[in-house]
C-alpha cells in the first residue's frame, strides 16, 4: 500500500515540478572530493556539486542540482579535453555526463547491469585513452566510449576472475596497468580483444600500491611504503619519500602532483620537487586533491574549500571556492526577516549526539552572502541542534546545544549558558552514577512565546521544561508523575498556541502539553490514551485554524482544536482519511514524518524520512506537490527541517546534503491592501515563470483585464500572494500590452489597482 501511494503522487505531480527557475541552491563548496584541470580551467567536485574556475578570467561556474546535475555522492571527476564533457563518478556507480551544451546524461549501467553487490560499485578513478574511458571501480574496470557515452565492456581482473578493488588505471606502451587494493599492479595488452577474460591479465608487481600515472614516457606509481617510484621498463626507481600515504596521484602532462593529508608535492619533468606545501597559514587543513594549471597550484581540502597559490612562490594562498555555508549537512535552519541561520550539529533517531560535532554556525544575508561563526568562538559548544530568534529583537539569537547548553548571541557578543550560570532553576546536566563531575546538558525545542519568553526542553532530567523570562530569570517545571519515561525523557520540536499552551513532541512519550497559567496543567497524548500510531513523536505544528498537526515515527495525526486543552483532561487525535478511487486510506500511513511547516495559506509542507517532501492542502485532502530527488532539485530525500519565509513565500529545505529553497506563493496575508506589489514587472520575452501579486489580504478578490476591460483572469487569494501564468483563463497566452489588476478585500471595504506590462 505504501509503495503504491508514493508512486501515485509521483506520476500525478511530476509534470508540474520541472521549472527550476522556482528553486534556489544554498550549497557548501568546502568539502572538496576531487580536482581536475585543463590548460585553461580548474574543475573541483564536492560530494554533490562541481564548480569550474576559468584561469584567465577567474569566472566561477557552478553545476549542482539547481542546474540539473544531481549526483548521489561524488567520488571522482574527469574532464575530457577531446569532447569537452565532464564525467562525474559516484560512490554507488552512478555516472553523470555534462555535455558541452550543458545537458546532463545519467548513466546507471553500473548500478543496474554489473552483477556485484551495491556496496562494491564505487567509482574510484577515470582514465581516458584513444576515445575510451577506463573506469576504476571497487569491482574491477568498466570501459565507456567517450563520444557516445555507451558502455563497451567490464573486466573482472582478479587472479581467479573475481571482483577486485581497482584504485587507478593508466596506459603505457599499449598496455593497460591497474593498481588494485590487494593484488598489486595488474596489466594486460590493449591489443588483446579478450580483456574480459581474467586469464589475459598478469601481475606486474605484487606490492601494495596506491596510485599510478603515465608521465614522460614512463610509469609513476606510489606505494603504501610511503615511497613513489618511476619505471621505464627496466624496474622501479625511487623518486620521492613522504611521511604519509598518497591519497591522490595525478599528472597534468608537465608535472606530477602527489597529495597526502598534510603534504602536497609537485614534481617537474626531471622528478625534482617544484614545490612542497604542508599547510595553509592560519587554517588547519587536510588536503584531498591537488592540480596545477600554468604557474598556479590548486589545493582541495576536506572541509575548508579550494585554495590557489603560485607554483614558484607558495607563501600566499587565495581561497577560490564559491561562497556557501560551513557544510552541506544541515540539521536546523531558521529565517529572520533579513538573515538565515543554519546549524550543522545533529543527533540520531534515539537522540544520541555522539560522536559530538565541533562545528560553527552558518549565516546568510543578501548583502554579505554566507558567513561562518567559527567553532573557536563558541566556547566549546558541541552538537548545535536548534535556533530561536527573538521576534521582538532579530539581533538576539539563541542556539541550543545537545551537549553544552545554550549560546546566547547578541550582535557580535556570544555567551554560553549552562548549569553554572543559570541558577538552581536553570539548565541541568544529566547525571551518570559514579561520575558526578561529568557534564552533558542536552537542550532542544527552543521557541519564544508571544510575551518574549524563551522556552526550551532539557533532556534526561526531571525538570525538563524550562523558560528564560524576559527579566532574565529561569524557571523549571517538573514532569515527575507526568510522563512514563521521566529519567530518559528526550524532546524534539515545541509549538506554543494562542492560549500559551506548550505542545512538545517527545521520544517514547507522545505529545506533552503544558500550560503554567492553568495550575501547571499537563496532558499527555500517547498510545494508551489516544489514537496515536507511535509514541515516538518527531514534530508538532500549529496551523491557522488552531489545529495541532503531529508527525510521528509511524504516521500523521491531527488534534482538531488546541483550545480543548483548557477545558478537558484527555485529548483525542485523528488520522486524515483520503479517497483514492474506491479505496479510503490514511494519509502518510506508517510513514516516518520528520517535519511539518504551515504556510501562509494554511497548507502543510510535510517531510518524510527518505521520501522527500509533500505540500498538502489545508485539510490534507489534496496533495499539491511532491518533491523528491528524482523530480526536483532536492539533493537528498531526507529533508530534516522546513522553514518558510512568510513575507516572500520562499520555502527552505535543510537536508543532509545541502539547502535548497522553493519560491512558493503562499505568504502571510497583509492587514490591508496598501502594500500590494506585482513582480516581475515588466514581464520580458525570455521570462518563463509566473507573475506574482503579493501584499494581499486573505480571501481578496483579484481580477485582471486587458486595457480595454476584457477579463482575462480572476481568483481569490489564500494567504498573501497569488500567481498568474499570463494566460487568459489557461487557454492561451495573452498578447503584449498593459494589463490592469483590480484587488478588493473580502468585505469590500478596501481596494487597489495595479498595472503590469507584458512584452512578448
Amino acid at each position: 500500500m505504501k509503495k503504491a501511494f508514493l508512486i501515485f503522487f509521483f506520476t500525478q505531480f511530476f509534470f508540474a515540478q520541472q521549472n527550476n527557475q522556482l528553486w534556489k541552491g544554498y550549497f557548501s563548496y568546502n568539502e572538496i572530493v576531487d580536482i581536475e584541470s585543463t590548460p585553461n580551467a580548474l574543475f573541483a567536485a564536492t560530494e554533490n556539486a562541481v564548480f569550474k574556475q576559468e584561469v584567465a578570467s577567474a569566472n566561477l561556474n557552478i553545476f549542482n542540482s539547481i542546474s540539473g546535475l544531481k549526483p548521489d555522492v561524488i567520488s571522482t571527476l574527469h574532464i575530457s579535453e577531446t569532447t569537452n564533457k565532464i564525467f562525474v563518478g559516484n560512490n554507488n556507480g552512478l555516472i553523470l555526463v555534462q555535455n558541452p551544451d550543458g545537458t546532463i546524461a545519467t548513466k546507471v549501467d553500473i548500478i543496474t547491469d554489473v552483477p556485484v553487490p551495491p556496496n562494491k560499485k564505487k567509482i574510484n578513478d577515470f582514465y581516458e585513452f584513444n576515445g575510451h574511458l577506463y573506469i576504476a571501480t571497487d569491482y574491477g574496470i568498466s570501459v565507456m566510449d567517450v563520444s557516445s557515452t555507451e558502455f563497451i565492456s567490464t573486466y573482472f581482473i582478479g587472479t581467479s576472475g573475481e571482483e577486485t578493488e581497482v584504485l587507478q588505471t593508466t596506459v603505457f606502451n599499449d598496455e593497460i596497468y591497474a593498481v588494485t587494493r590487494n593484488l598489486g599492479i595488474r596489466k594486460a595488452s590493449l591489443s588483446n580483444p579478450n580483456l574480459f577474460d581474467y586469464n589475459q591479465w598478469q601481475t606486474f608487481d605484487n606490492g601494495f600500491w596506491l596510485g599510478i600515472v603515465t608521465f614522460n614516457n614512463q610509469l609513476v606509481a606510489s606505494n603504501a611504503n610511503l615511497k613513489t617510484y618511476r619505471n621505464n621498463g627496466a624496474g622501479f626507481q625511487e623518486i620521492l619519500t613522504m611521511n604519509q600515504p598518497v591519497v591522490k596521484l595525478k599528472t597534468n602532462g608537465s608535472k606530477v602532483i602527489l597529495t597526502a593529508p598534510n603534504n602536497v608535492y609537485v614534481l617537474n619533468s626531471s622528478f625534482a620537487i617544484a614545490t612542497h606545501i604542508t599547510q595553509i597559514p592560519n587554517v588547519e587543513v587536510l588536503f584531498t586533491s591537488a592540480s596545477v594549471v600554468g604557474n598556479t597550484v590548486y589545493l582541495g581540502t576536506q572541509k575548508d574549500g579550494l585554495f590557489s597559490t603560485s607554483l614558484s612562490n607558495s607563501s600566499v594562498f587565495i581561497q577560490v571556492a564559491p561562497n556557501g555555508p560551513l557544510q552541506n549537512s544541515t540539521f536546523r535552519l531558521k529565517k529572520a526577516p533579513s538573515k538565515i541561520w543554519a546549524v550543522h550539529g545533529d543527533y540520531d533517531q534515539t537522540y544520541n549526539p555522539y560522536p559530538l560535532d565541533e562545528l560553527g554556525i552558518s549565516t546568510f544575508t543578501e548583502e554579505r552572502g554566507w558567513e561562518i561563526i567559527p567553532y573557536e568562538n563558541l566556547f566549546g559548544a558541541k552538537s548545535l541542534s536548534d535556533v530561536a530568534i527573538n521576534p521582538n529583537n532579530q539581533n538576539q539569537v539563541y542556539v541550543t546545544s545537545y551537549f553544552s547548553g545554550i549560546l546566547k548571541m547578541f550582535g557580535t557578543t556570544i555567551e554560553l549558558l549552562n548549569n553554572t550560570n543559570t541558577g538552581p532553576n536553570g539548565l541541568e546536566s544529566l547525571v551518570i552514577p559514579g561520575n558526578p563531575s561529568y557534564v552533558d546538558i542536552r537542550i532542544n525545542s527552543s521557541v519564544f512565546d508571544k510575551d518574549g519568553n524563551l522556552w526550551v526542553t532539557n533532556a534526561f532530567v526531571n525538570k525538563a521544561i524550562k523558560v528564560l523570562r524576559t527579566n532574565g530569570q529561569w524557571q523549571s517545571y517538573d514532569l515527575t508523575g507526568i510522563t512514563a519515561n521521566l529519567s530518559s525523557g528526550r524532546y524534539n520540536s515545541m509549538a506554543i498556541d494562542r492560549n500559551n499552551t506548550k505542545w512538545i513532541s517527545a521520544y517514547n512519550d507522545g505529545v506533552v502539553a503544558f500550560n503554567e497559567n492553568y495550575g501547571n496543567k499537563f496532558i499527555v497524548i500517547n498510545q494508551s490514551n489516544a489514537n496515536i500510531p507511535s509514541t515516538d513523536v518527531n514534530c508538532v505544528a500549529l496551523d491557522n485554524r488552531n489545529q495541532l498537526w503531529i508527525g510521528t515515527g509511524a504516521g500523521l495525526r491531527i488534534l482538531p482544536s488546541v483550545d480543548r486543552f483548557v477545558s478537558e483532561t484527555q485529548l483525542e487525535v485523528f488520522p486524515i482519511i483520503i479517497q483514492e478511487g474506491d479505496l479510503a486510506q490514511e494519509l502518510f500511513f506508517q510513514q516516518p514524518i520528520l517535519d511539518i511547516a504551515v504556510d501562509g495559506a494554511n497548507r502543510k509542507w510535510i517531510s518524510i524520512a527518505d521520501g522527500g517532501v509533500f505540500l498538502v492542502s489545508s485539510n490534507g485532502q489534496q496533495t499539491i506537490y511532491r518533491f523528491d530527488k528524482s523530480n526536483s532539485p532536492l539533493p537528498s530525500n531526507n529533508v530534516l527541517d522546513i522553514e518558510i519565509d512568510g513575507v516572500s513565500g520562499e520555502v527552505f529545505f535543510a537536508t543532509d546534503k545541502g539547502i535548497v529553497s522553493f519560491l512558493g506563493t503562499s505568504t502571510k496575508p497583509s492587514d490591508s491592501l496598501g502594500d500590494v506589489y506585482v513582480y516581475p514587472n515588466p514581464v520580458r520575452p525570455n521570462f518563463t515563470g509566473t507573475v506574482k501579486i503579493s501584499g494581499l489580504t486573505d480571501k481578496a478578490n483579484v481580477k485582471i483585464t486587458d486595457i480595454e476591460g476584457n477579463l482575462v483572469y480572476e481568483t481569490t487569494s489564500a494567504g498573501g500572494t497569488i500567481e498568474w501564468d499570463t494566460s487568459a483563463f489557461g487557454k492561451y497566452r495573452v498578447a503584449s500590452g498593459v494589463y490592469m489588476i483590480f484587488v478588493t478585500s473580502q468585505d469590500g471595504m478596501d481596494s487597489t489597482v495595479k498595472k503590469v506590462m507584458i512584452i512578448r
Side-chain angles (χ1 to χ4, degrees):
M1 182 71 70
K2 179 165 62 178
K3 181 181 289 186
F5 173 76
L6 293 177
I7 292 174
F8 167 80
F9 284 117
F10 174 82
T11 56
Q12 181 176 2
F13 297 104
F14 179 85
F15 74 93
Q17 300 171 20
Q18 299 308 300
N19 190 350
N20 283 7
Q21 292 182 348
L22 297 176
W23 293 81
K24 291 182 181 179
Y26 300 88
F27 292 106
S28 172
Y29 301 93
N30 291 332
E31 298 158 296
I32 305 298
V33 173
D34 198 9
I35 294 175
E36 282 291 304
S37 63
T38 68
N40 302 312
L42 188 284
F43 296 79
T46 65
E47 284 193 342
N48 59 2
V50 175
F51 61 92
K52 168 187 176 183
Q53 184 184 43
E54 298 174 3
V55 175
S57 63
N59 287 337
L60 275 171
N61 296 302
I62 300 172
F63 314 113
N64 55 32
S65 65
I66 304 298
S67 64
L69 185 76
K70 295 192 287 185
D72 181 60
V73 176
I74 297 176
S75 53
T76 190
L77 186 67
H78 173 70
I79 314 302
S80 173
E81 294 185 51
T82 60
T83 63
N84 292 320
K85 294 178 180 179
I86 303 173
F87 292 84
V88 181
N90 289 257
N91 65 355
N92 66 343
L94 173 69
I95 297 177
L96 300 173
V97 184
Q98 178 156 315
N99 298 307
D101 62 1
T103 59
I104 307 294
T106 301
K107 308 298 293 183
V108 297
D109 306 59
I110 289 176
I111 297 175
T112 59
D113 296 342
V114 179
V116 298
N119 63 347
K120 297 291 291 182
K121 297 188 177 186
K122 177 185 175 184
I123 297 174
N124 299 313
D125 188 64
F126 293 111
Y127 179 74
E128 184 177 346
F129 184 78
N130 282 355
H132 288 175
L133 190 66
Y134 295 92
I135 307 166
T137 74
D138 275 1
Y139 59 79
I141 302 169
S142 286
V143 187
M144 175 187 286
D145 184 284
V146 176
S147 297
S148 67
T149 65
E150 295 299 321
F151 280 88
I152 299 171
S153 187
T154 291
Y155 309 147
F156 294 97
I157 64 170
T159 54
S160 300
E162 74 276 17
E163 61 195 49
T164 188
E165 188 175 346
V166 177
L167 304 180
Q168 195 170 14
T169 63
T170 192
V171 172
F172 175 60
N173 286 345
D174 201 39
E175 290 183 307
I176 181 171
Y177 292 77
V179 167
T180 71
R181 177 73 70 186
N182 299 309
L183 300 176
I185 301 175
R186 303 276 286 165
K187 76 168 188 174
S189 172
L190 282 183
S191 60
N192 189 331
N194 301 314
L195 291 186
F196 56 85
D197 177 6
Y198 71 92
N199 290 302
Q200 309 304 311
W201 292 77
Q202 59 182 288
T203 299
F204 177 68
D205 187 272
N206 277 318
F208 290 93
W209 297 88
L210 304 175
I212 191 167
V213 296
T214 301
F215 179 73
N216 275 6
N217 199 34
Q218 53 194 312
L219 296 172
V220 176
S222 292
N223 195 281
N225 65 4
L226 310 184
K227 299 179 185 295
T228 297
Y229 301 85
R230 63 186 179 95
N231 189 315
N232 60 7
F236 287 105
Q237 296 179 325
E238 181 184 335
I239 57 174
L240 181 69
T241 299
M242 301 171 64
N243 59 8
Q244 292 177 307
V246 166
V247 294
K248 291 282 185 181
L249 172 63
K250 294 179 178 289
T251 177
N252 67 351
S254 63
K255 305 286 190 301
V256 173
I257 306 102
L258 302 100
T259 305
N262 300 117
N263 294 271
V264 172
Y265 286 89
V266 178
L267 308 182
N268 63 21
S269 58
S270 302
F271 299 107
I273 298 174
T275 191
H276 176 206
I277 301 167
T278 57
Q279 277 296 329
I280 296 173
N282 303 316
V283 185
E284 295 183 5
V285 301
L286 292 175
F287 299 117
T288 57
S289 186
S291 191
V292 176
V293 181
N295 192 46
T296 302
V297 183
Y298 290 90
L299 306 158
T301 69
Q302 188 178 77
K303 62 177 183 176
D304 296 291
L306 180 70
F307 293 84
S308 68
T309 188
S310 170
L311 180 62
S312 56
N313 181 13
S314 57
S315 60
V316 178
F317 295 83
I318 300 172
Q319 193 165 23
V320 295
N323 180 248
L326 180 65
Q327 65 177 35
N328 278 314
S329 182
T330 302
F331 194 61
R332 292 289 182 267
L333 181 147
K334 287 293 184 294
K335 177 67 170 63
S338 59
K339 197 170 191 176
I340 298 172
W341 292 78
V343 293
H344 309 279
D346 60 8
Y347 45 73
D348 65 16
Q349 190 175 359
T350 64
Y351 294 75
N352 178 7
Y354 289 86
L356 299 172
D357 298 301
E358 298 181 351
L359 299 169
I361 300 169
S362 302
T363 67
F364 175 84
T365 60
E366 292 291 346
E367 299 80 16
R368 302 174 65 92
W370 286 99
E371 297 179 303
I372 309 301
I373 303 173
Y375 171 75
E376 290 72 22
N377 294 359
L378 302 181
F379 301 98
K382 299 173 173 51
S383 296
L384 305 181
S385 60
D386 204 358
V387 179
I389 302 169
N390 190 337
N392 301 317
N393 187 343
Q394 301 295 320
N395 292 319
Q396 190 176 75
V397 179
Y398 291 81
V399 178
T400 62
S401 162
Y402 212 65
F403 181 78
S404 308
I406 302 176
L407 290 166
K408 178 182 178 181
M409 314 183 75
F410 190 79
T412 59
T413 302
I414 303 175
E415 179 185 0
L416 178 62
L417 307 178
N418 55 30
N419 59 328
T420 67
N421 57 8
T422 56
N425 287 313
L427 308 183
E428 301 176 68
S429 172
L430 59 83
V431 176
I432 296 181
N435 190 4
S437 62
Y438 184 77
V439 177
D440 186 340
I441 310 167
R442 301 192 183 186
I443 307 300
N444 211 16
S445 321
S446 57
V447 63
F448 280 91
D449 65 20
K450 61 185 178 181
D451 298 318
N453 303 304
L454 176 68
W455 292 83
V456 299
T457 56
N458 197 156
F460 294 102
V461 300
N462 293 353
K463 296 179 179 180
I465 301 175
K466 301 185 183 294
V467 57
L468 175 60
R469 300 288 181 187
T470 55
N471 62 6
Q473 298 300 308
W474 282 91
Q475 282 184 266
S476 294
Y477 297 91
D478 200 329
L479 270 68
T480 300
I482 305 299
T483 59
N485 302 283
L486 178 64
S487 62
S488 60
R490 284 151 278 180
Y491 313 93
N492 205 314
S493 66
M494 181 192 305
I496 303 178
D497 67 24
R498 64 184 180 182
N499 300 317
N500 218 31
T501 302
K502 272 63 69 177
W503 302 88
I504 304 167
S505 52
Y507 178 70
N508 284 337
D509 283 311
V511 176
V512 178
F514 165 72
N515 195 318
E516 74 278 18
N517 298 323
Y518 293 87
N520 290 347
K521 180 179 179 180
F522 284 93
I523 296 179
V524 177
I525 303 171
N526 56 33
Q527 285 181 313
S528 65
N529 61 20
N531 179 26
I532 193 166
S534 170
T535 52
D536 182 7
V537 176
N538 297 322
C539 57
V540 290
L542 286 163
D543 74 4
N544 301 339
R545 296 176 56 199
N546 289 320
Q547 294 182 325
L548 184 73
W549 289 59
I550 303 168
T552 80
L556 176 72
R557 288 296 182 268
I558 308 297
L559 175 65
S561 173
V562 294
D563 294 336
R564 293 170 54 194
F565 174 90
V566 176
S567 58
E568 301 182 21
T569 58
Q570 186 169 319
L571 300 174
E572 183 69 9
V573 296
F574 302 91
I576 293 177
I577 304 300
I578 58 174
Q579 195 75 23
E580 295 295 340
D582 296 330
L583 178 66
Q585 63 178 349
E586 181 182 312
L587 181 64
F588 302 126
F589 177 70
Q590 292 293 306
Q591 298 284 335
I593 296 173
L594 299 181
D595 197 23
I596 303 172
V598 182
D599 69 15
N602 206 30
R603 305 179 304 180
K604 314 310 187 290
W605 291 89
I606 300 174
S607 64
I608 307 296
D610 203 31
V613 63
F614 291 77
L615 173 63
V616 299
S617 59
S618 59
N619 60 5
Q621 291 297 315
Q622 178 187 5
T623 296
I624 300 163
Y625 292 129
R626 186 231 170 162
F627 295 135
D628 63 15
K629 186 176 176 181
S630 69
N631 69 353
S632 77
L634 275 178
S636 167
N637 287 334
N638 282 312
V639 178
L640 305 178
D641 195 24
I642 306 171
E643 180 78 358
I644 301 175
D645 187 327
V647 176
S648 68
E650 188 172 7
V651 186
F652 295 88
F653 305 113
T655 80
D656 54 354
K657 293 184 180 179
I659 302 168
V660 295
S661 71
F662 177 72
L663 303 181
T665 60
S666 291
T667 58
K668 293 180 180 178
S670 299
D671 295 328
S672 71
L673 297 175
D675 295 319
V676 173
Y677 59 99
V678 183
Y679 65 99
N681 192 7
V683 179
R684 302 191 182 278
N686 60 349
F687 182 71
T688 59
T690 58
V691 171
K692 297 174 179 62
I693 304 167
S694 292
L696 303 172
T697 55
D698 192 29
K699 298 180 181 178
N701 178 257
V702 181
K703 294 183 179 181
I704 303 176
T705 72
D706 62 21
I707 200 67
E708 296 177 351
N710 298 307
L711 186 67
V712 297
Y713 185 70
E714 183 176 9
T715 190
T716 300
S717 65
T721 301
I722 66 108
E723 288 182 286
W724 177 41
D725 63 1
T726 70
S727 71
F729 293 103
K731 295 180 180 179
Y732 56 86
R733 294 203 310 165
V734 298
S736 296
V738 176
Y739 290 81
M740 309 299 296
I741 302 170
F742 300 92
V743 184
T744 306
S745 62
Q746 183 184 19
D747 58 11
M749 301 299 291
D750 196 3
S751 64
T752 189
V753 179
K754 299 293 177 181
K755 298 178 182 179
V756 61
M757 176 176 284
I758 295 179
I759 306 169
R760 296 301 189 192

